[in-house]
Amino acid sequence: MPQLSSLIGQLPEFKESRMLSNGLGLWLSWQGDLNPAVVQTLQDYGGMHLASERDQALWFFFSGDVFLALARLAIWAKFNSLAVFCQVIPAKLLFGYKRELSVAIDPALRVQNAIVPQELEIWVHGKAKEMGVGAPGLSFTSMRGQTGLASAEWFTMSADPRLPYQSSLGWYVVLKPLGNPLEKSFQSGWRAFFAHLEELLNRHKCKFLIHDFYLMFPVENLRQLRLWCKDILLLIAQLKEENPDGYWPCVMAVADRKGLNFNNELPKKMRLDWDQLVPDFPHMSYRNAYLLGDSFVVHDVRFNVEHSSMDDWSNVSLSAEGEGGAGLLPVEVSNRLVTGSSPHCFYCGLRDHELQDCPSRKLASLDREIWKEVALLDFETINNGFKSIDLSLTEDALESMSSILRQEGIPGLLLRAVFSINANAQFRMMRIMWLTRGKEYPAGLSELNQKDDSPLWSLLDMFISGDLIAVDKELGQMTIKAPRDFRVRTLQGFVALERGDHARTLSLWKEAEGLSPSPLLQAYHQFLQGRLMETQGKYQNANTLYRQVARLTPAWSDSVYRQGVCQVKMGFAEQAVGFLSALIERDAHFFNRVLLDPELERGHIHLLAALHVPWLEAQSKAEEEAVALKRLRAEVFDWFPEGHEFADAAFKRIDALLGLADVENYVSFISLSRGRERLERDLQARVNMESRELKSRFRTDMERLAYIRDEAAWFPFPRILVDFNKDYNACAANLNWALQNQFGVADTFKKAHSIAEKEQERLKGLEGKLKFLRIVRDSTLFMLIMGKTFFWMELIGLLLVLVGLPLSVYYGERAGAEWASGLLVKEKWQIQKGLILILSTMALAFAALRTTLVFDKKRNQLLNKGKRKK
């Protein structure tokens, strides 16, 4: 048996609803298959399908059109079999913060059971009957409750078949092309796009009216509205892709025709700020948007801080199932940061405060790492942070905002990031520009002079505190004292800005530009002028100035970013996508800046859709990069052993990059991809460098080994060199292998590393043994040289003694010398032995001395002679 509680149980439950709407619930029950005519009729009369099962369904109607729909079904049932139980009851439609839908029904009505009748029965609750009493042709008959129904006052409804029971729904649609009608691009673009619009309107048989470039036409029923919204969205998407020359951006609004007249005054009577509408998406109330069905996605249009009424404005796009709908990034900036009644603040871009009350006045320094911190936040964290900001700004918004800016949590980080978007127009940037000595961006922001003793610094503090009169008076005197100081004109320009004298502000900043000594300072003052034009709505002039900034300082990407922002504010979000996409390719942090910038609210949907494609690509690539990093970890391990300096550093980098893969943030994904590519390049570069070093090292080792070989070859006792030769041969074999192979393969590279370490130790051992061998060799050579010298000296001495002494005796006797005939004859042998001993001692001493003096020369001669022979 059908039970209403079973249907209600399918709907989500939430503690707090974002919006609610009173209306009527319609409970249907049947047996078998429900006739499709029932569903189509309920949809055509503004019914919203909430839940259904095999034999029952629950619908919701915002108005009494439910009775008109049931009247049509009652007439149709007179000629066709329609066994359906229908019950109309009071209900409230609830909207959650995540756009989920639910319904609030009296608990006594929730527990009802229905018995399916043999023919159509329409039961109406007593409180619900009040909304249908005034409809012509409808009659209500009081009935006693039947089994399963709640104890309440019930009526059955019948309808006079002679009446048409037309739905009260109806709308007026208004289109307005964007741009200046005097420009040729507008005239040609709008003419081409209108040709497509006219064809679409003729196909839908809509009579239209054009006045002051507003295109207006009525829509008679819900089916036609649903079909037109789908066709116009598909047409725009098709023209953008296939025929961009035939497309021109337009804003569109759909209003209930009740209380409005179809005439030239219709756009004014709709009470809309047309300059705030998002182009290319039909704008309508939440009530009408949800009536379009599941083929459309409803988006907030944040004209107000709160969305408390179903009559508030929204816009719609095709869903993914709606034949061409594009995905959107799930980022929602705080409502209180994008709404407000004031113009965009010059300093921060928000609209909830006046220029003089901007919280950025209290920010003393640039936060240059802020976007790196935002890059570590995923979408859910960002959305939760903005929700916290919304809750904190409910009372005393300015004081709460200043407090959040000082906090260290996620809300403080996000709010500081929002304020950093326009930091170039704030006083903290002006302080840096007053100190910079650099000529280029961004180096000039770090090349700062010491603060001088100029009274301008105290005047700046006075100005920030709000003492405009005293500051302006002092600045007037300083203009005479320091006519060439650009800082005086800069501060005077800000004073004029806060007094509302925009013409004087522009003139003063133009003078400051002329007095600026460097291109960076000139670009800064041009940027201020562009920002002033932008906040005044003179977007073409602002873009001209921003382009001049880009020419002066090409690395200052903010000037290009502001051009994209101006395009969005003019309604040309599609054209802005080109500027912003190019910036994102240069610096991925601009992706997050686009998501958080409250000044891009008019093109928020376009940008979220346009960024969804690169986001999906980056997300998909991040998954591949995570797999590649794990492969790279194994590859690093293949090339380098554990404990290697590069391997340890690479593993730390890989762990850090894998951590980025878990952060749902575009910048993290791009950093992951670029980090992996950089690591692969570093790995290859390190392998190449170490391969060259290994080759050089092996060549050096081979030279050392050859030297050892040459030195050891002179060892006089080769038979005792068995261990030495064994080590030498092993070392030579390994070094020859290393020099003959390339190290482009991990196994070879790793083996070469191992061999290098091993052979280094082996060479040290061989060199240690070589020292002993050289001592033995040099000692032996020294003895041989000294022995040779001693031999010849001794031989000469003996000859002198054996020959010279007899000759001395002989000639002495002939000469009659007494010593010759006496002493020498008697002591001949003693004298010979004494002389031989003296000469031998002298020969030995002389041999040792001579050998010491000529040893190195003789040794080198012998070694070189041996090398030449080889």
Side-chain angles (χ1 to χ4, degrees):
M1 180 178 293
Q3 297 179 339
L4 181 57
S5 59
S6 177
L7 291 172
I8 297 176
Q10 297 181 18
L11 300 175
E13 296 183 3
F14 36 86
K15 296 181 181 180
E16 185 179 1
S17 60
R18 179 184 177 189
M19 292 181 290
L20 61 85
S21 177
N22 294 318
L24 298 174
L26 175 61
W27 178 30
L28 304 177
S29 62
W30 63 88
Q31 285 184 347
D33 296 328
L34 183 64
N35 195 306
V38 176
V39 176
Q40 188 61 56
T41 300
L42 297 179
Q43 288 180 344
D44 291 344
Y45 279 77
M48 287 182 59
H49 175 259
L50 298 179
S52 63
E53 293 180 343
R54 184 177 59 84
D55 55 357
Q56 62 176 343
L58 179 62
W59 291 68
F60 180 84
F61 285 79
F62 291 102
S63 66
D65 277 17
V66 60
F67 297 109
L68 303 179
L70 292 175
R72 292 294 298 267
L73 290 176
I75 297 172
W76 189 79
K78 293 181 180 296
F79 308 98
N80 300 274
S81 175
L82 189 62
V84 178
F85 172 79
C86 304
Q87 186 184 80
V88 182
I89 54 178
K92 292 181 179 179
L93 188 65
L94 307 178
F95 292 82
Y97 282 93
K98 296 183 179 179
R99 295 189 176 90
E100 63 270 40
L101 298 177
S102 189
V103 67
I105 296 177
D106 191 329
L109 299 177
R110 287 171 173 255
V111 296
Q112 296 183 100
N113 301 322
I115 300 176
V116 180
Q118 298 298 318
E119 58 184 12
L120 178 68
E121 290 187 5
I122 303 173
W123 289 71
V124 182
H125 191 276
K127 294 182 179 179
K129 178 178 73 72
E130 299 173 0
M131 297 183 67
V133 169
L138 301 183
S139 58
F140 298 90
T141 304
S142 179
M143 298 289 292
R144 293 182 179 180
Q146 65 180 22
T147 303
L149 299 186
S151 177
E153 185 179 11
W154 293 102
F155 297 86
T156 58
M157 190 195 83
S158 58
D160 186 345
R162 294 172 296 178
L163 297 180
Y165 302 108
Q166 295 292 333
S167 172
S168 63
L169 299 176
W171 300 270
Y172 293 128
V173 180
V174 180
L175 285 83
K176 179 190 177 185
L178 298 178
N180 185 354
L182 300 179
E183 294 181 355
K184 292 183 179 180
S185 58
F186 173 90
Q187 296 170 4
S188 59
W190 169 238
R191 186 183 302 110
F193 186 55
F194 178 74
H196 296 283
L197 284 177
E198 188 174 20
E199 180 181 351
L200 179 61
L201 292 171
N202 291 334
R203 188 165 70 245
H204 285 270
K205 299 180 179 178
C206 295
K207 298 180 179 179
F208 59 87
L209 172 67
I210 298 179
H211 174 72
D212 197 18
F213 293 99
Y214 285 95
L215 172 65
M216 300 164 276
F217 60 92
V219 175
E220 301 298 335
N221 55 67
L222 184 58
R223 185 184 303 182
Q224 186 182 15
L225 178 64
R226 186 181 296 118
L227 185 60
W228 181 83
C229 288
K230 181 178 180 180
D231 286 349
I232 188 64
L233 290 171
L234 288 176
L235 172 65
I236 291 173
Q238 180 182 4
L239 291 176
K240 286 181 180 179
E241 183 176 354
E242 299 177 3
N243 183 20
D245 294 335
Y247 159 78
W248 188 260
C250 298
V251 292
M252 296 171 274
V254 180
D256 292 322
R257 65 184 179 187
K258 186 176 181 180
L260 297 175
N261 296 318
F262 187 63
N263 54 36
N264 295 342
E265 300 297 320
L266 179 59
K268 298 179 182 179
K269 297 293 181 65
M270 292 175 70
R271 293 179 298 176
L272 263 178
D273 184 358
W274 293 91
D275 292 334
Q276 293 295 321
L277 298 188
V278 181
D280 303 339
F281 294 98
H283 290 67
M284 59 191 71
S285 66
Y286 281 97
R287 184 195 310 272
N288 293 326
Y290 280 103
L291 287 179
L292 295 179
D294 296 335
S295 295
F296 296 85
V297 178
V298 182
H299 306 283
D300 297 334
V301 175
R302 294 181 280 195
F303 294 150
N304 302 308
V305 173
E306 301 290 348
H307 293 292
S308 57
S309 170
M310 291 299 295
D311 293 323
D312 288 338
W313 287 95
S314 67
N315 60 45
V316 296
S317 65
L318 287 173
S319 65
E321 294 80 14
E323 301 180 17
L328 300 178
L329 292 176
V331 177
E332 296 183 4
V333 181
S334 167
N335 282 343
R336 296 183 182 275
L337 295 181
V338 299
T339 57
S341 56
S342 302
H344 286 292
C345 174
F346 176 89
Y347 301 121
C348 68
L350 303 186
R351 301 174 57 197
D352 61 345
H353 58 260
E354 295 296 332
L355 188 68
Q356 297 80 359
D357 301 324
C358 183
S360 69
R361 303 168 76 92
K362 300 178 181 179
L363 299 176
S365 60
L366 294 178
D367 195 344
R368 303 184 188 183
E369 302 296 320
I370 188 71
W371 295 111
K372 292 182 180 179
E373 297 180 47
V374 174
L376 300 178
L377 306 180
D378 55 26
F379 289 152
E380 183 177 359
T381 304
I382 291 174
N383 289 336
N384 291 336
F386 278 128
K387 287 180 182 178
S388 298
I389 292 174
D390 262 345
L391 294 176
S392 302
L393 299 182
T394 51
E395 296 181 3
D396 197 0
L398 289 177
E399 184 62 34
S400 299
M401 196 175 294
S402 299
S403 175
I404 295 173
L405 285 171
R406 295 190 295 269
Q407 296 176 5
E408 295 298 327
I410 300 300
L413 172 62
L414 290 174
L415 194 56
R416 286 194 297 275
V418 169
F419 274 80
S420 293
I421 294 173
N422 282 299
N424 296 314
Q426 297 167 10
F427 298 123
R428 47 180 170 170
M429 176 60 85
M430 186 171 72
R431 288 189 178 96
I432 291 178
M433 289 299 172
W434 281 9
L435 295 175
T436 183
R437 62 175 181 270
K439 297 182 179 180
E440 297 293 335
Y441 183 93
L445 301 186
S446 302
E447 300 172 0
L448 304 180
N449 295 311
Q450 293 295 324
K451 186 183 290 187
D452 58 14
D453 56 356
S454 172
L456 282 169
W457 296 104
S458 58
L459 291 179
L460 174 59
D461 294 335
M462 291 173 58
F463 172 67
I464 293 175
S465 64
D467 193 355
L468 298 183
I469 297 176
V471 171
D472 195 21
K473 183 178 179 181
E474 291 292 331
L475 287 174
Q477 296 177 1
M478 289 196 66
T479 304
I480 301 173
K481 295 178 182 179
R484 303 297 300 173
D485 192 341
F486 73 91
R487 297 177 297 177
V488 178
R489 303 297 193 280
T490 306
L491 189 54
Q492 281 183 316
F494 279 103
V495 172
L497 173 68
E498 298 203 358
R499 284 183 166 179
D501 192 349
H502 295 154
R504 177 169 167 75
T505 302
L506 193 65
S507 174
L508 288 167
W509 283 340
K510 189 71 176 175
E511 287 184 40
E513 176 192 345
L515 296 173
S516 298
S518 69
L520 178 59
L521 289 171
Q522 293 171 10
Y524 168 69
H525 289 98
Q526 288 181 355
F527 189 96
L528 293 179
Q529 296 171 52
R531 178 63 178 166
L532 178 61
M533 290 295 182
E534 180 186 341
T535 54
Q536 289 183 275
K538 301 176 181 179
Y539 301 118
Q540 298 288 0
N541 295 337
N543 272 344
T544 301
L545 287 163
Y546 288 141
R547 283 193 290 270
Q548 293 177 10
V549 175
R551 284 193 294 268
L552 271 176
T553 53
W556 201 351
S557 301
D558 289 67
S559 59
V560 182
Y561 177 76
R562 297 316 307 177
Q563 294 178 54
V565 173
C566 289
Q567 292 286 349
V568 172
K569 288 182 175 181
M570 286 190 292
F572 295 91
E574 291 291 336
Q575 289 76 0
V577 169
F579 283 97
L580 301 176
S581 298
L583 276 178
I584 291 170
E585 289 182 6
R586 288 166 51 185
D587 183 355
H589 289 294
F590 277 100
F591 188 96
N592 288 331
R593 187 177 295 199
V594 171
L595 295 183
L596 304 187
D597 194 343
E599 292 191 75
L600 295 177
E601 175 63 18
R602 190 178 190 186
H604 196 60
I605 299 176
H606 286 90
L607 297 174
L608 291 184
L611 296 180
H612 190 253
V613 175
W615 159 259
L616 290 178
E617 293 175 353
Q619 187 180 43
S620 176
K621 191 173 182 181
E623 297 174 358
E624 299 173 1
E625 296 293 350
V627 176
L629 278 173
K630 295 176 181 177
R631 173 188 56 76
L632 191 58
R633 183 195 295 272
E635 188 175 342
V636 171
F637 188 75
D638 289 340
W639 285 96
F640 298 98
E642 289 188 22
H644 190 279
E645 176 188 1
F646 179 81
D648 292 344
F651 291 151
K652 291 180 181 179
R653 289 171 64 182
I654 290 173
D655 291 338
L657 290 173
L658 286 174
L660 295 178
D662 298 328
V663 180
E664 294 287 317
N665 191 295
Y666 178 83
V667 179
S668 294
F669 290 158
I670 295 299
S671 300
L672 169 62
S673 177
R674 293 175 180 173
R676 195 270 309 163
E677 294 173 357
R678 194 178 302 113
L679 181 56
E680 278 197 343
R681 289 195 300 268
D682 291 347
L683 172 60
Q684 190 60 45
R686 185 61 178 248
V687 168
N688 293 337
M689 182 190 72
E690 294 205 7
S691 296
R692 291 191 299 270
E693 290 179 352
L694 283 172
K695 283 290 184 182
S696 176
R697 187 173 173 183
F698 285 132
R699 282 191 290 269
T700 303
D701 289 348
M702 184 60 82
E703 292 174 359
R704 291 169 62 191
L705 186 62
Y707 176 76
I708 293 172
R709 178 198 63 198
D710 295 339
E711 292 291 310
W714 295 94
F715 187 69
F717 313 110
R719 290 189 177 184
I720 67 174
L721 296 179
V722 177
D723 292 338
F724 183 89
N725 290 334
K726 184 178 179 180
D727 289 342
Y728 170 81
N729 292 332
C731 184
N734 286 333
L735 292 179
N736 283 324
W737 174 88
L739 291 172
Q740 291 170 5
N741 284 279
Q742 299 297 325
F743 305 142
V745 179
D747 292 339
T748 307
F749 179 84
K750 207 168 185 180
K751 182 179 178 181
H753 256 290
S754 176
I755 287 176
E757 298 298 329
K758 187 187 300 182
E759 298 312 318
Q760 192 74 13
E761 295 299 323
R762 202 192 303 272
L763 282 169
K764 288 181 181 179
L766 288 172
E767 288 174 339
K769 293 178 181 179
L770 181 62
K771 290 179 181 179
F772 171 74
L773 297 180
R774 291 173 67 179
I775 292 172
V776 174
R777 183 201 68 187
D778 291 351
S779 299
T780 304
L781 181 60
F782 187 89
M783 294 302 296
L784 290 173
I785 296 173
M786 188 178 72
K788 180 181 177 182
T789 304
F790 174 75
F791 172 77
W792 289 108
M793 293 297 295
E794 184 70 12
L795 181 61
I796 293 170
L798 289 175
L799 288 174
L800 289 173
V801 171
L802 294 177
V803 175
L805 185 59
L807 289 173
S808 298
V809 172
Y810 171 75
Y811 286 110
E813 288 179 348
R814 289 186 65 179
E818 183 180 349
W819 57 269
S821 60
L823 181 62
L824 289 178
V825 171
K826 294 177 183 180
E827 303 294 336
K828 175 181 179 181
W829 296 111
Q830 286 77 5
I831 292 174
Q832 282 182 339
K833 286 190 291 185
L835 288 172
I836 290 172
L837 182 60
I838 293 171
L839 289 173
S840 297
T841 302
M842 292 177 62
L844 182 61
F846 180 78
L849 179 59
R850 178 181 179 277
T851 303
T852 302
L853 294 174
V854 302
F855 175 75
D856 290 335
K857 181 179 180 182
K858 289 288 186 180
R859 182 190 59 185
N860 292 336
Q861 287 176 349
L862 289 172
L863 294 177
N864 292 334
K865 184 178 179 181
K867 291 180 180 179
R868 284 196 298 271
K869 286 183 178 180
K870 291 182 179 181

